[in-house]
Amino acid sequence: MKNNEIILILDFGGQYNQLIARRVRECNVYSEVVPFDISLEKIKEKNPKGIIFTGGPASVYADDAPKCDEGIFSLGIPVLGICYGMQLMTQTLGGSVARPDKREYGTTDVQIDNTSLLFKGFDTKNGFLMSHTDYVETLPSGFKNIGYTSSCPNAAIENVEKNLYGIQFHPEVNNSVNGTLVIKNFLYNICGCSGDWTMSSFVEESVKNLKEKIGDKKVLCALSGGVDSSVAAVLVSKAAGKNLTCIFLDHGLLRKNEGDEVEAIFKKQFDINLIRVNCQERFLSKLAGVTDPERKRKIIGEEFIRVFEEEAKKIGTVDFLVQGTIYPDVIESGLGKSSVIKSHHNVGGLPDYVDFKEIVEPLRSLFKDEVRKTGLELGIPENLVYRQPFPGPGLAIRVIGDITEDKLNILKEADSIFREEIANAGLHKSINQYFAVLTNLKSVGVMGDERTYDYTVALRAVETTDFMTGVWSKIPYSILEKVSSRIVNEVKHVNRVVYDITSKPPATIEWE
Ligand code: XMP
């Protein structure tokens, strides 16, 4: 990692904090989110080109208001305070913050002084997202006003001599047109960044570091076929070559042809040592007769570990175990609660059972979209890189009730038709997750002159950004009609197709 150019983002608990880090990285400058109370020593050690204070829900006058080390303002490092961050800077340096009766919320016209380095290239009036109650009332000495709105007298301030800047609005969100330019101006005009952080420099640097770390030692990786573990495996393979062994468990609960596709990519395209363990029968027999979704998850999780352990034993002691941990999983907010993480049941919580000396997490500093870009950079096919999320327990939680091989096969066929038609219609990038469910329901139908009594398949498609909430996707009727007709015609034992029109909440995305 090129650590010579890093921006630190001090997290004061605002909801857009990770977005700020991403925007900075989009400007090709590496950034890290750190707790607001990070020590001066730590900051000096990281030697950032600039520091950004995020917004946050507190008032600077609250007893438990999060405060940073005041020494930050004397380090000579440029600081940009956003919202709460600006108010904290003001209060700490001797200005005052006031609480009006009303909050200001929404995209608002901000009049700015476009001779400021922060606003280079802007018109004098710009729409930015304001979302605050408190505002800066009087400026600390040495500061000057560079922006205001009709209800916020100090919407932007600067102390050029000390390189300190504050903005009441949120440049990181999409509602702030040209918001990224504010961030870019801070990075390039004020912090003097050169912007050499790109995914290709990341790959180059990571491979170099991994080579140094791994040398000719042995590395093991559990490959799920998901984006993170795939990108991690390929990246490590560039450094470890044949010293990397990937174990890929095909438990029969993957989608149609998925096992073969994963094998082809890793063995043929990347020439990686891949052990594909075909353990469908083993999983099916453990799952026989089990109907409770949580029991299914538990059985699959346990069995996964057991099989992996057996395979790893055959390989013997390894020096490193690769994990596909990504940045949102490791950010510490400093406010006591970590960022949004699904505690969700990832089949693959392995290490305890495997004989290894150290964990390697090559994607630890990347956001999901950066992991995807890295994947593309490494030559991993687009359909894998942009694969929709797929639950660890796989199709086991999409066959409602007990699981049999026949039911799995019906589901695989129906699901494959649905996915194919969504892709044909060009909807695969706008719908975030879509799949078929084999409901345990049989109903009466008629085919030719014959009465049928067969399964009902449900189609599920959601649009979401965080998978914690989501809305059902308004797929055009003509496409639903085609999918329905293809499924009942092409998949034996299905005579009815229904579309799930429930959002999350109250429903979840998966049916189990
Ligand atoms: P729900 O159904 O809770 O799903 O709305 C939210 C997201 O999580 C995925 N999901 C899982 N992922 N193991 C996983 O790795 C699981 O047991 C599991 N259950 C749900 C689901 O596909 C959706 O993306």
Side-chain angles (χ1 to χ4, degrees):
M1 187 78 45
K2 283 198 163 74
N3 270 348
N4 49 346
E5 199 162 279
I6 172 176
I7 295 290
L8 289 186
I9 295 165
L10 264 58
D11 181 355
F12 289 94
Q15 55 179 322
Y16 306 123
N17 299 350
Q18 291 194 23
L19 207 48
I20 301 174
R22 290 172 54 173
R23 294 282 176 261
V24 171
R25 291 182 184 197
E26 279 164 21
C27 298
N28 297 336
V29 178
Y30 181 68
S31 64
E32 275 180 13
V33 180
V34 294
F36 66 86
D37 53 359
I38 181 173
S39 67
L40 274 190
E41 285 67 42
K42 267 252 172 72
I43 293 179
K44 285 183 196 155
E45 217 173 88
K46 289 189 179 270
N47 191 23
K49 294 284 276 185
I51 296 175
I52 297 178
F53 289 2
T54 75
S59 162
V60 287
Y61 292 119
D63 288 342
D64 54 356
K67 306 247 159 110
C68 61
D69 192 314
E70 295 184 10
I72 287 179
F73 300 110
S74 323
L75 289 173
I77 299 172
V79 180
L80 172 66
I82 297 176
C83 195
Y84 176 86
M86 170 200 197
Q87 296 161 11
L88 179 68
M89 181 190 294
T90 299
Q91 190 216 25
T92 310
L93 298 175
S96 70
V97 173
R99 164 150 296 199
D101 301 333
K102 272 205 320 221
R103 7 185 0 225
E104 185 179 29
Y105 183 82
T107 308
T108 310
D109 279 338
V110 184
Q111 293 289 338
I112 54 162
D113 173 355
N114 60 4
T115 62
S116 162
L117 284 179
L118 196 59
F119 297 133
K120 205 171 161 189
F122 278 90
D123 291 336
T124 49
K125 191 165 95 178
N126 293 272
F128 290 123
L129 178 77
M130 298 294 266
S131 171
H132 66 109
T133 308
D134 291 2
Y135 65 62
V136 168
E137 188 178 44
T138 53
L139 306 189
S141 75
F143 276 77
K144 119 177 201 232
N145 177 298
I146 51 168
Y148 61 90
T149 74
S150 55
S151 46
C152 177
N154 293 303
I157 59 174
E158 70 178 10
N159 180 335
V160 176
E161 197 192 321
K162 297 217 157 112
N163 265 329
L164 303 177
Y165 294 79
I167 46 182
Q168 185 54 67
F169 56 86
H170 289 273
E172 67 277 19
V173 297
N174 287 336
N175 322 39
S176 292
V177 186
N178 286 333
T180 306
L181 184 58
V182 178
I183 293 174
K184 204 170 197 170
N185 281 342
F186 177 67
L187 302 175
Y188 287 75
N189 302 339
I190 296 163
C191 303
C193 293
S194 62
D196 58 1
W197 195 76
T198 59
M199 280 358 273
S200 69
S201 71
F202 170 81
V203 168
E204 210 177 289
E205 199 75 11
S206 300
V207 172
K208 193 172 126 234
N209 292 342
L210 285 165
K211 268 190 183 149
E212 273 167 28
K213 183 169 185 164
I214 295 170
D216 54 6
K217 295 189 177 136
K218 279 180 145 189
V219 193
L220 184 65
C221 176
L223 199 63
S224 69
V227 184
D228 303 342
S229 72
S230 298
V231 176
V234 174
L235 193 55
V236 171
S237 81
K238 299 282 177 208
K242 292 283 181 189
N243 283 322
L244 167 70
T245 305
C246 293
I247 297 181
F248 170 53
L249 300 195
D250 186 349
H251 48 26
L253 305 166
L254 298 171
R255 288 167 293 196
K256 189 180 173 188
N257 296 337
E258 210 160 30
D260 294 344
E261 282 164 18
V262 170
E263 185 171 351
I265 293 170
F266 288 88
K267 267 196 175 157
K268 294 212 183 97
Q269 187 184 339
F270 290 107
D271 195 24
I272 288 175
N273 258 337
L274 176 97
I275 301 175
R276 175 174 176 179
V277 190
N278 289 316
C279 42
Q280 294 90 328
E281 271 146 38
R282 190 166 163 169
F283 275 79
L284 270 182
S285 71
K286 287 273 173 196
L287 288 166
V290 178
T291 55
D292 176 58
E294 289 310 304
R295 277 270 321 125
K296 287 182 184 175
R297 283 192 168 84
K298 200 150 183 276
I299 290 170
I300 294 166
E302 280 171 10
E303 202 55 19
F304 194 95
I305 290 171
R306 212 153 292 144
V307 180
F308 188 82
E309 184 186 10
E310 285 169 22
E311 292 302 318
K313 263 195 194 132
K314 291 184 198 158
I315 296 172
T317 306
V318 293
D319 301 280
F320 299 99
L321 182 76
V322 181
Q323 295 261 286
T325 319
I326 68 170
Y327 197 44
D329 301 334
V330 297
I331 296 179
E332 257 184 90
S333 86
L335 292 186
K337 37 181 166 65
S338 51
S339 53
V340 192
I341 303 173
K342 262 181 278 140
S343 61
H344 252 90
H345 10 269
N346 254 326
V347 178
L350 306 160
D352 289 1
Y353 303 85
V354 181
D355 197 4
F356 69 96
K357 297 193 183 111
E358 208 180 315
I359 288 189
V360 190
E361 298 175 310
L363 311 177
R364 209 182 148 78
S365 63
L366 300 188
F367 288 107
K368 192 81 181 185
D369 50 333
E370 295 169 329
V371 173
R372 293 194 210 277
K373 283 188 198 147
T374 303
L376 292 178
E377 190 71 37
L378 289 165
I380 299 176
E382 243 188 63
N383 62 348
L384 198 164
V385 165
Y386 285 101
R387 209 178 87 136
Q388 52 168 317
F390 186 64
L395 300 185
I397 55 167
R398 294 179 182 169
V399 169
I400 310 305
D402 74 311
I403 302 162
T404 64
E405 193 174 353
D406 288 344
K407 288 184 184 176
L408 282 172
N409 287 336
I410 293 172
L411 177 60
K412 282 179 194 178
E413 292 304 321
D415 182 67
S416 151
I417 291 172
F418 187 31
R419 286 189 292 130
E420 197 180 310
E421 291 302 332
I422 291 290
N424 286 344
L427 294 173
H428 55 295
K429 285 199 174 154
S430 55
I431 307 178
N432 305 95
Q433 203 170 2
Y434 50 97
F435 52 87
V437 174
L438 186 66
T439 70
N440 211 11
L441 180 78
K442 282 191 167 184
S443 71
V444 175
V446 54
M447 222 176 255
D449 289 330
E450 303 245 336
R451 175 189 187 275
T452 57
Y453 188 61
D454 268 327
Y455 285 114
T456 302
V457 160
L459 305 176
R460 181 72 164 140
V462 288
E463 286 165 34
T464 170
T465 47
D466 56 7
F467 297 89
M468 310 298 262
T469 60
V471 294
W472 62 278
S473 179
K474 315 296 179 291
I475 298 177
Y477 285 161
S478 57
I479 294 163
L480 289 173
E481 187 176 28
K482 186 156 187 209
V483 175
S484 162
S485 135
R486 278 196 61 194
I487 291 177
V488 289
N489 280 302
E490 295 174 36
V491 187
K492 268 204 187 116
H493 303 299
V494 179
N495 66 356
R496 195 178 290 273
V497 176
V498 297
Y499 187 49
D500 182 348
I501 53 165
T502 352
S503 290
K504 172 182 180 178
T508 51
I509 295 173
E510 303 288 347
W511 275 36
E512 283 201 332

